[in-house]
Amino acid sequence: MKTTQPIIVITGVTSGLGQLAAMELAKRGAHLVLTARSQERADATRIKIREIAPSTKIRFFFGDLSLLSDVKRIGREIAAAYPRIDVLLNNAGLHAFEQRVTSEGFAEMMAVNYLAPWLLTHTLHTSLVQSGHARVVNVASEASRNHGKLMLPDDLTDTGPFTARGSSAIYGKTKLLNIMFTGELARQWDGTGILVNALNPGFNVTGLGRELWFASVLERILTFLHIGDPRRGADIMTRLAVEPSFGEVTGGYFNVGSGASITPVYPGGDAGMQNKLWRVTTQLMEQRGLLE
């Protein structure tokens, strides 16, 4: 597919930070390749993007990112349609306040937040290589500092129940895995022309406890008080995706606002643990028949 526009794949665009980032990248002339579960929400997102950037090329691919079979299918469909991809922005995520197990037997939060971006990134590898200067951007979080105790490989398949209070450590653990995956992938793909970086989007009201009954009220209050402005999170996502200042660095973890480098909590930056995570995740994917 011949185009001078950067081809940018983004997950989780029908609300929140992903939608804001898609709108900003559209203003910068990107050709957007987006994922969604719902045709209705995709249509609403398309309208919002076109309102600010009418000529933007937009294509949606549909599936449920909590199901790894869907992730693999979506990845194959995107790769077939786009032999060259310039940016992959792994944004989709959720904070569940109770355990939900997918039909494939995975904890939903682990599947969406870590396993899905891992698998999608690998499925799009060839298209990213063809860019010659591609970027993979993973949305992590400083919530990773509250990750409890990391147990590999058990954490990847743990479906034990948890309470709303206990959910924070599980969520933090998935974000820690995003940071670790970023570091190892940068090493594994060194020399391919693909840069891999992660970011902390800060505290954002858009992702705040969507499953809590009072979330919408709290979001309005915090917005009124100018706390947790999601535009700041979308800004660091956009900068890592396209700005020249991040065009040479790989394996980094960067902060909202300043864009400063963050030293992740242990074992986030430990190369040995990063490699172990890579190996056990690869083995899990192979066992499930998800890798070629």
Side-chain angles (χ1 to χ4, degrees):
M1 179 168 294
K2 293 182 180 180
T3 175
T4 57
Q5 298 171 303
I7 297 170
I8 300 182
V9 179
I10 315 175
T11 64
V13 296
T14 56
S15 65
L17 295 180
Q19 189 175 89
L20 290 171
M23 293 166 71
E24 181 58 37
L25 290 164
K27 287 192 287 185
R28 299 188 185 207
H31 178 141
L32 298 178
V33 181
L34 311 174
T35 69
R37 282 181 297 177
S38 154
Q39 181 74 56
E40 181 180 3
R41 296 185 73 183
D43 290 343
T45 298
R46 189 191 306 271
I47 290 169
K48 282 189 175 184
I49 294 171
R50 287 261 164 81
E51 283 175 351
I52 61 166
S55 63
T56 303
K57 292 182 180 178
I58 305 170
R59 182 169 177 184
F60 274 93
F61 291 81
F62 292 90
D64 182 347
L65 296 184
S66 74
L67 297 176
L68 298 185
S69 56
D70 269 22
V71 174
K72 183 177 181 179
R73 174 184 55 77
I74 291 170
R76 283 177 160 177
E77 289 173 357
I78 292 173
Y82 297 92
R84 189 199 93 229
I85 292 169
D86 299 298
V87 178
L88 168 59
L89 179 46
N90 286 311
N91 164 71
L94 82 155
H95 185 153
F97 288 89
E98 62 180 3
Q99 180 66 282
R100 291 189 294 267
V101 180
T102 72
S103 59
E104 296 174 333
F106 291 107
E108 182 187 40
M109 193 151 52
M110 181 63 71
V112 173
N113 292 2
Y114 171 63
L115 297 175
W118 195 101
L119 181 58
L120 181 62
T121 302
H122 282 75
T123 308
L124 296 179
H125 174 255
T126 300
S127 293
L128 290 163
V129 169
Q130 289 303 310
S131 167
H133 54 267
R135 303 188 194 187
V136 175
V137 180
N138 296 322
V139 177
S141 171
E142 281 294 82
S144 56
R145 297 192 181 275
N146 174 34
H147 69 266
K149 184 177 182 182
L150 184 63
M151 302 287 290
L152 296 175
D154 297 353
D155 284 332
L156 302 184
T157 54
D158 181 15
T159 56
F162 54 79
T163 63
R165 182 183 295 272
S167 69
S168 293
I170 308 296
Y171 175 77
K173 189 170 291 185
T174 66
K175 292 301 172 180
L176 175 71
L177 298 184
N178 292 149
I179 295 168
M180 296 172 68
F181 166 53
T182 298
E184 183 63 22
L185 187 65
R187 280 190 295 274
Q188 293 282 341
W189 287 4
D190 183 42
T192 65
I194 304 171
L195 305 177
V196 190
N197 291 294
L199 64 99
N200 166 48
F203 173 78
N204 292 282
V205 295
T206 55
L208 181 74
R210 277 172 265 179
E211 299 183 26
L212 295 175
W213 65 268
F214 56 85
S216 61
V217 175
L218 187 57
E219 181 172 330
R220 287 197 296 272
I221 294 171
L222 293 174
T223 300
F224 177 76
L225 295 173
H226 302 291
I227 297 172
D229 184 350
R231 289 172 297 185
R232 296 177 72 244
D235 175 68
I236 185 62
M237 291 162 64
T238 301
R239 288 158 63 192
L240 276 171
V242 297
E243 286 195 355
S245 58
F246 290 102
E248 300 295 332
V249 64
T250 191
Y253 174 41
F254 298 95
N255 203 13
V256 64
S258 66
S261 179
I262 305 172
T263 300
V265 66
Y266 181 84
D270 184 273
M273 289 297 289
Q274 290 173 348
N275 184 258
K276 180 177 181 179
L277 175 63
W278 173 279
R279 288 184 281 109
V280 297
T281 306
T282 301
Q283 184 177 39
L284 177 63
M285 295 292 182
E286 289 174 344
Q287 289 170 350
R288 299 298 180 105
L290 293 163
L291 295 182
E292 303 301 324

